[in-house]
Amino acid sequence: MASVFNTSAFLQTVKRYADKHSLFLADGTYLVALSGGADSVALLHTLCALGIKTEAAHCNFHLRGEESERDEQFCKELCQQLNIPLHIAHFDTTSYAQLHHVSIEMAARTLRYSYFNNLCTDLSANGICVAHHQDDSAETLLLNLLRGTGIHGLRGIMPRNGNILRPLLCVGREDIEHYLQTLHQTFVTDSTNLIDDVKRNKIRLNVMPLLQTINPSARKAIAQTAQYVAEACTFFDAAMEQAIQAITSSDGPTIQRGETSRSHFMIDICALLKQPSPEYVLFMTLKDNGFTPTQVQEIYSAISKPTIKEKETTTLQSGRLWDSGTHELLIDRGRLLIEPKATSSFKTKIFPEEGTYVIDEDGTRLRISKKKNDEHFVLNKKANYACLDAQKVSWPLQLRIAQNADRFVPFGMRHSKLVSDFLTDKKKSIFEKRRQLVLTMASASDTMASASDTILWVVNERIDGRFSLSADTTDVLEIVLLAEDQQAYQCQ
């Protein structure tokens, strides 16, 4: 038997919860997602009673015939009674679902929150209040438990998600109905909520009543557990962030301008394997880059063979790649390298004469100029400079991506070498090899990359010794790559 309901205690419970989670500003304006059901009606009354400046928004999805029209009319009358501004949107939900190949439920959710967000912006409102309550949080925990979502899914529903606010999570459905009874406030009922045709309804109508035969306070107990898990997640997230920081770092010259450290980075395998739960740390590090739990298991299996000595483990499967759809992961010399997938490839550039050429959309330039090899000439030995004997070079020049069959005679060596082998000796990763540019001599008709042309310079690495300066050089062809990162030109 429930105790006599105390309206003042109900309102104070909501206020304390809102204050604890800093949901409202004293002078803020907030939208209430008003369906006409008991929960949203109670939310509207509660915010009005607490003196919070409120406007209401109702979505008519035209899915339940006369019921949809009834709900809209109820919301109009309620807001008129409470002197609350009401905003109404009409949607052809069925057509939207068919056009976008999504379920009716997903279509309605997308349309609803898109409308709320746009309206919130138009009205300069401080947030959108939705009427999820304690029972909803308990149901969400059970749903996520069935989905296997991990520790964060066991938090239930959070009080704030961006500009979405949920001030009623501290009270249950029974409290809400009692509150409305004391106000003599009616509400409408969505008949689809009474049919166990979707997962949440099955839990609400079948599972929860069964659990309540074991513990009459099952809903409240589960919701309370969700709150405990949410508190634990605060500590967990802080510890996980420290672990991720300990195993990750920027991947040197391969960092792209505009990329964040979590989209283009490397993981130290030895540091990862020393973590208390290395596979889970790996998953938490990679999940935002699109890698699935199955992929993470494969990656972890590849780097953690228990029968292999530690030093051998880190190099066991170097060169193996995984593709998440948005990113690629490479095992490379004791590291995991993670990079965004290239959205476009470098296009071969032809240079018919001396000059300064823009070679990419970031404004990277290649400057080609001829200088006299006299007492005023100073040889620049920086990596982004190439000084060649101008008399040995034929125009036009060509800048392209290195190919597997490319060969050149590295300066300081006597014999030719595959560019790929040269880069391997320089400990370049597959990612770096893919981006490696070479400057070549090309025929006047050659506008495509070709491994048959003569390489002058493996850009930022080594010139071909056959074109180096000698005592007989009279003119120097000085080539300079003018980019922010002078160690290695990065192309996408």
Side-chain angles (χ1 to χ4, degrees):
M1 177 69 68
S3 59
V4 176
F5 189 77
N6 187 323
T7 302
S8 177
F10 176 88
L11 294 174
Q12 285 304 309
T13 297
V14 175
K15 184 178 186 306
R16 284 194 298 271
Y17 184 80
D19 290 344
K20 176 183 178 180
H21 296 284
S22 303
L23 297 185
F24 301 117
L25 298 174
D27 57 348
T29 299
Y30 297 89
L31 285 174
V32 171
L34 182 65
S35 68
D39 305 334
S40 64
V41 171
L43 175 60
L44 186 64
H45 271 284
T46 299
L47 297 189
C48 290
L50 294 176
I52 296 170
K53 186 178 179 181
T54 302
E55 297 189 23
H58 177 76
C59 296
N60 188 334
F61 297 108
H62 294 281
L63 294 173
R64 294 177 288 116
E66 292 183 0
E67 261 193 25
S68 294
E69 304 310 315
R70 176 207 64 185
D71 294 353
E72 179 179 326
Q73 185 59 35
F74 175 85
C75 290
K76 287 179 179 178
E77 294 173 359
L78 175 62
C79 289
Q80 186 175 12
Q81 172 192 336
L82 297 177
N83 196 28
I84 296 293
L86 174 64
H87 309 272
I88 299 175
H90 291 257
F91 299 108
D92 185 348
T93 313
T94 302
S95 295
Y96 181 92
Q98 293 173 348
L99 178 64
H100 294 276
H101 306 288
V102 295
S103 67
I104 291 292
E105 293 77 12
M106 181 58 68
R109 176 183 173 82
T110 301
L111 291 168
R112 177 191 303 123
Y113 283 104
S114 177
Y115 169 63
F116 289 159
N117 282 318
N118 291 335
L119 184 60
C120 192
T121 300
D122 292 342
L123 298 176
S124 298
N126 299 92
I128 305 159
C129 300
V130 295
H132 292 125
H133 49 74
Q134 206 171 66
D135 294 17
D136 294 319
S137 188
E139 293 164 6
T140 298
L141 184 151
L142 292 177
L143 277 171
N144 289 339
L145 187 64
L146 294 173
R147 292 169 180 154
T149 56
I151 186 172
H152 288 86
L154 302 184
R155 295 177 301 177
I157 302 175
M158 301 303 292
R160 178 191 291 273
N161 183 11
N163 65 347
I164 304 297
L165 313 176
R166 301 180 176 95
L168 295 187
L169 286 176
C170 56
V171 295
R173 171 72 183 209
E174 187 177 9
D175 298 318
I176 287 171
E177 290 180 350
H178 285 159
Y179 175 58
L180 293 176
Q181 287 172 9
T182 62
L183 298 178
H184 304 289
Q185 175 64 62
T186 59
F187 53 87
V188 295
T189 299
D190 183 344
S191 60
T192 62
N193 289 334
L194 305 178
I195 305 171
D196 60 351
D197 59 342
V198 295
K199 292 178 182 178
R200 184 175 289 275
N201 281 1
K202 290 179 186 294
I203 288 178
R204 177 179 300 150
L205 300 175
N206 302 324
V207 177
M208 290 304 298
L210 180 61
L211 292 176
Q212 286 178 297
T213 63
I214 301 172
N215 177 4
S217 300
R219 295 178 186 269
K220 186 173 182 179
I222 294 171
Q224 185 64 60
T225 297
Q227 290 186 32
Y228 293 149
V229 174
E231 293 293 336
C233 280
T234 301
F235 292 96
F236 171 84
D237 290 341
M240 183 58 65
E241 184 62 28
Q242 288 183 350
I244 293 173
Q245 292 290 342
I247 68 170
T248 61
S249 62
S250 298
D251 192 15
T254 65
I255 292 297
Q256 304 288 324
R257 288 185 288 277
E259 294 287 354
T260 64
S261 60
R262 286 291 170 81
S263 66
H264 198 126
F265 60 100
M266 71 178 183
I267 298 172
D268 184 300
I269 293 177
C270 284
L272 170 66
L273 296 179
K274 291 177 181 177
Q275 294 298 319
S277 181
E279 185 174 353
Y280 194 69
V281 172
L282 180 62
F283 170 73
M284 294 299 291
T285 307
L286 297 178
K287 66 181 181 67
D288 291 337
N289 302 115
F291 292 96
T292 65
T294 299
Q295 287 178 310
V296 171
Q297 289 176 359
E298 292 176 356
I299 295 165
Y300 182 69
S301 176
I303 64 174
S304 61
K305 301 295 183 183
T307 59
I308 306 296
K309 293 181 180 179
E310 183 178 280
K311 289 185 178 180
E312 295 173 339
T313 299
T314 59
T315 58
L316 181 63
Q317 299 198 37
S318 285
R320 189 171 175 186
L321 274 167
W322 282 264
D323 186 335
S324 73
T326 60
H327 289 71
E328 289 182 300
L329 181 146
L330 169 70
I331 300 179
D332 182 77
R333 297 180 179 85
R335 308 171 299 171
L336 300 178
L337 306 182
I338 298 90
E339 294 194 359
K341 293 185 68 175
T343 56
S344 61
S345 59
F346 181 83
K347 296 181 180 179
T348 298
K349 305 294 188 301
I350 300 294
F351 311 118
E353 59 187 5
E354 297 174 50
T356 299
Y357 299 86
V358 177
I359 62 173
D360 70 7
E361 58 188 18
D362 292 330
T364 304
R365 294 166 292 156
L366 191 75
R367 188 180 70 204
I368 307 172
S369 58
K370 187 184 291 186
K371 297 184 177 182
K372 286 292 183 182
N373 186 22
D374 54 23
E375 66 275 10
H376 301 295
F377 175 73
V378 178
L379 179 65
N380 195 315
K381 297 183 179 181
K382 291 182 179 179
N384 61 310
Y385 277 74
C387 293
L388 310 175
D389 190 324
Q391 292 174 301
K392 299 177 182 178
V393 176
S394 300
W395 297 91
L397 304 186
Q398 177 180 244
L399 187 68
R400 61 172 175 79
I401 292 290
Q403 298 179 29
N404 289 335
D406 281 339
R407 301 187 74 92
F408 80 128
V409 180
F411 179 74
M413 298 184 185
R414 295 183 178 180
H415 304 291
S416 69
K417 192 179 188 74
L418 283 170
V419 172
S420 60
D421 290 343
F422 172 80
L423 295 174
T424 297
D425 293 343
K426 297 277 290 184
K427 300 189 184 306
K428 299 295 182 179
S429 71
I430 291 175
F431 292 155
E432 291 170 309
K433 290 180 179 180
R434 285 179 184 173
R435 291 189 292 267
Q436 183 62 56
L437 295 176
V438 292
L439 184 71
T440 75
M441 291 190 298
S443 66
S445 61
D446 192 357
T447 58
M448 299 294 291
S450 170
S452 64
D453 49 15
T454 303
I455 292 176
L456 301 172
W457 182 30
V458 177
V459 177
N460 286 343
E461 296 297 339
R462 193 81 60 87
I463 65 169
D464 187 302
R466 294 170 294 179
F467 301 91
S468 64
L469 307 184
S470 68
D472 298 326
T473 301
T474 59
D475 294 305
V476 178
L477 194 64
E478 185 181 73
I479 305 165
V480 189
L481 187 69
L482 300 171
E484 291 181 9
D485 184 348
Q486 298 297 335
Q487 295 182 24
Y489 172 66
Q490 306 302 320
C491 65
Q492 301 225 9

